[in-house]
Amino acid sequence: VEEHSLDRDCTTLSRHVLQQLKSFSADAQDLSALMNRIALAAKIISRRLSRADLVEGALGFTGNVNVQGESVKKMDAYANDVFISVFKQSGLVCRLASEEMEKPYYIPENCPIGRYSLIYDPIDGSSNVDINLNIGSIFAIRRQQGDDIDGEATDLLQDGHQQIAAGYVIYGPSTMLVYSIGTGVHAFTLDPSLGEFILSQENMQVPDHGPVYSVNEGNFWQWDESIRDYIRYVHRHEGYTARYSGALVGDFHRILCQGGVFIYPGTVKKPEGKLRLLYETAPLAFLIEQAGGRASTGTENLMDVVPEKLHTRTPLIIGSKEDVALVESFIQERT
Ligand code: AHG
Ligand code: MN
Ligand code: MN
Ligand code: MN
């Protein structure tokens, strides 16, 4: 076995975090252990997804409706619980906020306060679960500030610069975990024979321009005219290709790798759009900026948006800086 491949097989996520931080401080060790737990959650979810149709009760709906007004799938609920379970007895995360929970969940034995909060979308792209298409999990880590005695988690209602780590898992042909702690974007691929996420790409950079535009054109007539103008532009010009999978994580990953832009605009009825800030758009905004790209609501940098509520939604224009700027130019023309 060549030396480098042995060393590479040992570059697990927890080791990589310490390498990136160039520190063995308590905080660095905490973050390393935290990322290791997220990797465990990803492995447990990936295991179930990889043979979901063979697992009694894994697919289909729970019959419940979540705070978003969406019908909750069994996989949504399962994945939500996995993240909670992997942080018990960890002493790391005191509070978890998720798309699937109206209020945050507290792990009492991990508190006192002053620890980390995990904010996550346990299964992103739920509509793809029953048809075996790519889905994801999205996460962000923030410090818990203040006592939060009322459980209102008001300290989470701050802009994206409060994120100390962010990332996603993409459950595709291979399961990959892509993360950043502010020192670039790095990808790990799950080697099922080892049961470990192994470093596969370091310092991922999104191209300044790319051919892909990713948007659900079924909403064409619900958008502002400015977005329709942009779509007409790419329809008329060579060099653009449409890709849309119905799962934000998969569409984002393609943009990160190949360049281009993903857009989920507001509509006339819902100007704030569909995607949620704390566990969808802000974590991806953190990543894309670390990869040399941009994320915007159309009128402001997404990393600067301060949520009013835990489940605040924002429009999303994210990807290559030239492509994001082009979309914004159509919006500015009409304001
Ligand atoms: P989730 O499954 O976590 O609720 O997220 C679904 C989101 C996102 O993954 C995707 O980009 C978007 O919903 C698709 O929405 P449309 O079906 O309206 O295009
Ligand atoms: Mn959902
Ligand atoms: Mn989602
Ligand atoms: Mn979800």
Side-chain angles (χ1 to χ4, degrees), residues 70 76 99-100 121-126 276 280:
E70 300 167 346
D76 289 318
E99 177 201 359
E100 304 301 339
D121 177 0
I123 293 290
D124 172 67
S126 309
R276 285 63 47 120
E280 287 178 316

Side-chain angles (χ1 to χ4, degrees), residues 33 37 86-94 107 109-110 115:
R37 296 268 172 162
V86 303
F87 281 102
K88 287 186 173 158
Q89 269 81 42
S90 69
L92 289 166
V93 167
C94 174
I107 303 181
E109 69 271 15
N110 283 3
R115 308 299 294 181

Side-chain angles (χ1 to χ4, degrees), residues 190-210:
L190 178 62
D191 179 339
S193 69
L194 263 179
E196 280 291 355
F197 279 97
I198 303 298
L199 179 64
S200 46
Q201 287 185 60
E202 265 195 318
N203 299 314
M204 297 175 81
Q205 288 291 303
V206 60
D208 286 347
H209 165 66

Side-chain angles (χ1 to χ4, degrees), residues 76 79 99-100 121-129 133-138 168-169 171 245-252 275-276 279-280 284:
D76 289 318
E99 177 201 359
E100 304 301 339
D121 177 0
I123 293 290
D124 172 67
S126 309
S127 60
N128 284 356
V129 170
L133 289 180
N134 73 289
I135 52 178
S137 302
I138 308 172
Y168 58 86
V169 186
Y171 308 99
S245 76
L248 171 60
V249 164
D251 291 327
F252 176 85
L275 300 177
R276 285 63 47 120
Y279 39 81
E280 287 178 316
L284 298 186

